[in-house]
C-alpha cells in the first residue's frame, strides 16, 4: 500500500514534469474508484494551468487556477509520466493530458484510489479538514503527542497510526518507529514518559525521512514506460521479520495483531 513516503516520492517524481503546464484534456476510462471520479473534471481542468503539486497526508493536491484536484492512491494506485503514444493498460483509469502532450497517468488495480475536485480551500475538504499534523513538521513534537495521548485510552501503536493524531504513520512505519524508540507497541499510550515520547517522535521523523530519501533513488522510474514506478524495498528492522533474529540483540522478533494489523517488535529491545 502506498504510504506517506511513497506519496511524497510520487509528488517529487511527477512535479518537475507537469508543474506550470496547462491541462489539455482529461480522459476517464474508469470512474468507479473509491468515490466516483468527478464528472466535471475534464470541463473544469481543460485550459487550466497547474500551479502547485502538494501533499497533505497521503493526498496529493494538484492546484489549478479554479480549484484543486485531490488524488489518493488508495491500496494499489500509482502515478506515472507518459505520452499519448503509450497505449493505456487495463488498470490505467485516468489520463491528465497537458498542452505539450505530457500525460500524467493514474493506475489503480484495486480501485480504492480517488480523484476529487474542489473549488474551495482543499484543506477544508471533509477528507482533509480533520487530519492531524504532518509528521515531519515542527508542530508534531513530544509535547503535542503526550498531550494527545492523555486524551484517550489506546495503545501507543494505535495512537500513532490514527490520522487525527498524526498523518502518514502507516503500519510498517509504526512498527519500525516503535522499535527504533525502544517502546513496546502494546504500551498504554498514557503510560509513556516524556523521554519516551521524545524518542518516539524523533524515531517517526527519522524512519519517514529515510524512506523518502530512499525513494529518491527510484524517481527515474516515473517516466519508465514499462510499468509501475517501483516502490522501494526498504531495510526493515522488525516489520515482516517474525521469528528472525533482532538486528540489535539477536532475540527472535515477535509478532501479534493489534487492531487487526500485524505488529512486530523485539521483546528485549523494546519496553
Ligand atoms: Zn532486540
Amino acid at each position: 500500500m502506498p504510504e506517506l513516503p511513497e506519496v511524497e516520492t510520487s509528488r517529487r517524481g511527477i512535479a518537475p514534469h507537469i508543474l506550470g503546464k496547462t491541462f489539455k484534456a482529461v480522459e476517464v476510462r474508469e470512474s468507479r474508484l473509491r468515490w466516483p471520479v468527478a464528472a466535471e473534471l475534464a470541463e473544469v481542468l481543460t485550459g487550466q494551468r497547474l500551479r502547485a503539486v502538494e501533499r497533505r497526508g497521503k493526498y496529493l493536491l494538484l492546484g489549478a487556477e479554479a480549484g484543486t484536484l485531490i488524488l489518493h492512491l488508495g491500496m494499489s494506485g500509482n502515478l506515472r509520466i507518459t505520452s499519448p503514444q503509450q497505449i493505456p493498460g487495463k488498470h490505467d483509469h485516468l489520463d491528465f493530458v497537458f498542452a505539450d502532450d505530457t500525460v500524467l497517468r493514474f493506475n489503480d488495480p484495486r480501485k480504492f484510489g480517488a480523484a476529487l475536485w474542489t473549488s474551495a480551500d482543499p484543506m477544508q475538504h471533509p477528507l482533509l479538514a480533520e487530519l492531524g499534523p504532518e509528521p515531519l513538521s515542527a508542530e508534531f513534537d513530544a509535547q503535542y503527542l503526550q498531550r494527545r495521548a492523555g486524551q484517550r485510552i489506546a495503545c501507543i501503536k494505535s495512537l500513532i497510526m490514527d490520522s487525527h493524531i498524526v498523518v502518514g504513520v502507516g503500519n510498517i512505519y509504526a512498527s519500525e518507529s516503535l522499535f527504533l524508540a525502544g517502546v513496546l507497541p502494546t504500551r498504554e499510550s498514557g503510560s509513556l514518559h516524556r523521554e519516551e515520547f521524545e524518542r518516539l517522535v524523533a524515531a517517526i521523523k527519522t524512519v519517514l525521512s529515510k524512506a523518502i530519501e530512499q525513494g529518491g533513488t527510484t524517481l527515474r522510474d516515473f517516466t519508465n514506460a514499462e510499468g509501475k514506478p517501483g516502490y522501494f524495498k526498504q531495510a526493515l528492522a522488525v516489520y515482516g521479520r517474525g521469528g528472525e533474529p533482532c538486528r540489535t540483540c539477536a532475540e527472535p522478533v515477535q509478532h501479534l495483531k493489534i487492531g487487526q494489523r500485524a505488529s512486530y517488535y523485539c521483546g528485549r529491545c523494546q519496553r
Side-chain angles (χ1 to χ4, degrees):
M1 190 192 307
E3 297 284 355
L4 185 144
E6 284 88 352
V7 178
E8 176 61 20
T9 298
S10 296
R11 188 189 73 76
R12 295 181 186 185
I14 62 173
H17 300 279
I18 57 176
L19 194 57
K21 293 183 180 175
T22 300
F23 289 94
K24 184 167 83 172
V26 177
E27 279 164 43
V28 179
R29 283 179 287 271
E30 174 60 86
S31 63
R32 292 168 299 173
L33 300 183
R34 182 164 182 191
W35 296 285
V37 175
E40 75 268 33
L41 218 48
E43 196 185 320
V44 290
L45 279 176
T46 301
Q48 292 271 314
R49 202 172 75 87
L50 180 63
R51 299 201 301 195
V53 181
E54 291 167 335
R55 180 189 57 75
R56 176 75 177 102
K58 297 207 297 184
Y59 294 92
L60 281 170
L61 307 175
L62 272 60
E65 290 152 304
T68 305
L69 173 66
I70 302 174
L71 294 177
H72 194 281
L73 301 178
M75 309 281 286
S76 58
N78 68 79
L79 290 164
R80 69 178 189 277
I81 300 292
T82 182
S83 70
Q85 286 76 45
Q86 289 294 333
I87 295 159
K90 189 178 171 195
H91 304 295
D92 290 334
H93 305 313
L94 306 173
D95 275 2
F96 299 93
V97 188
F98 293 88
D100 67 348
D101 277 344
T102 298
V103 175
L104 175 65
R105 186 162 281 173
F106 181 90
N107 171 288
D108 185 5
R110 293 180 64 182
K111 296 194 273 194
F112 275 103
L116 304 165
W117 172 257
T118 177
S119 55
D121 175 4
M123 297 304 170
Q124 300 306 317
H125 190 280
L127 290 171
L128 279 74
E130 305 296 323
L131 294 178
E134 288 288 325
L136 299 176
S137 71
E139 193 187 344
F140 180 64
D141 63 10
Q143 190 182 351
Y144 166 83
L145 192 59
Q146 188 165 28
R147 181 170 59 77
R148 297 302 304 265
Q151 293 167 346
R152 68 173 65 189
I153 296 168
C155 72
I156 189 64
K157 179 165 181 263
S158 300
L159 188 86
I160 60 175
M161 287 181 65
D162 183 341
S163 64
H164 297 97
I165 304 289
V166 57
V167 296
V169 184
N171 197 35
I172 296 174
Y173 298 111
S175 284
E176 293 293 300
S177 300
L178 285 160
F179 175 77
L180 186 59
V183 174
L184 283 172
T186 46
R187 284 272 298 280
E188 208 271 292
S189 59
S191 76
L192 269 69
H193 306 295
R194 180 51 172 265
E195 194 230 340
E196 290 173 314
F197 281 111
E198 301 274 4
R199 288 209 307 264
L200 181 54
V201 166
I204 289 170
K205 290 175 190 278
T206 299
V207 165
L208 290 174
S209 303
K210 238 184 217 168
I212 292 169
E213 216 173 279
Q214 280 179 312
T217 61
T218 68
L219 284 187
R220 61 195 159 78
D221 292 333
F222 280 86
T223 54
N224 178 0
E226 294 308 305
K228 304 167 192 171
Y231 289 128
F232 24 107
K233 279 260 187 292
Q234 292 161 69
L236 299 171
V238 284
Y239 188 85
R241 299 192 61 242
E244 293 174 41
C246 168
R247 297 195 204 278
T248 303
C249 74
E251 281 285 307
V253 169
Q254 300 179 48
H255 65 117
L256 81 169
K257 285 209 165 170
I258 299 176
Q260 308 303 317
R261 307 300 300 274
S263 302
Y264 297 85
Y265 65 96
C266 173
R268 184 184 278 184
C269 294
Q270 291 169 260
R271 318 215 152 242

